[in-house]
Amino acid sequence: QVHLVESGGGLVQPGGSLRLSCTASGDNLDYYTVGWFRQAPGKDREGFSCMRSRDGWSFYADSVKGRFTMSVDIAKNTVNLQMNNLIPEDTAVYYCATIFALVGRCYAPDFGSWGQGAQVTVAS
């Protein structure tokens, strides 16, 4: 089972950009499905971006499509999330997660390893 450590996040104005990174240790991510999830106060955890680096399958929720880009750097065993044109509704705690399987959905209960979470706040 991999151990995940997130970095990045913070406070940004609407329209700004942030980048999150998630570094994995303990195994290589090549055979994993990796994902980014977020949870705002009082809301359920949302799976908004997932990817299988093995075959390139990816998923983006409509709420982030065209604004967020997820990538996996196998050489560095790192998952990155570039977030552009941020809006206040993007404010949440962001988590990276993995499952040692090639799944075709972005459903939080499927994922077994989780990062510690990173706060992203979009406000002026």
Side-chain angles (χ1 to χ4, degrees), residues 30 51-58 102:
D30 196 28
M51 177 177 288
R52 299 188 308 239
S53 60
R54 190 70 177 164
D55 60 7
W57 172 84
S58 65
L102 301 180

Side-chain angles (χ1 to χ4, degrees), residues 68-116:
F68 291 10
T69 303
M70 179 180 178
S71 61
V72 180
D73 186 333
I74 292 298
K76 295 181 179 180
N77 226 27
T78 298
V79 184
N80 299 303
L81 180 70
Q82 179 65 41
M83 303 182 289
N84 298 327
N85 195 21
L86 285 157
I87 59 178
E89 290 76 14
D90 294 320
T91 296
V93 178
Y94 283 66
Y95 300 90
C96 62
T98 64
I99 176 174
F100 184 52
L102 301 180
V103 302
R105 62 182 185 176
C106 203
Y107 182 56
D110 287 344
F111 289 72
S113 295
W114 292 82
Q116 80 278 16

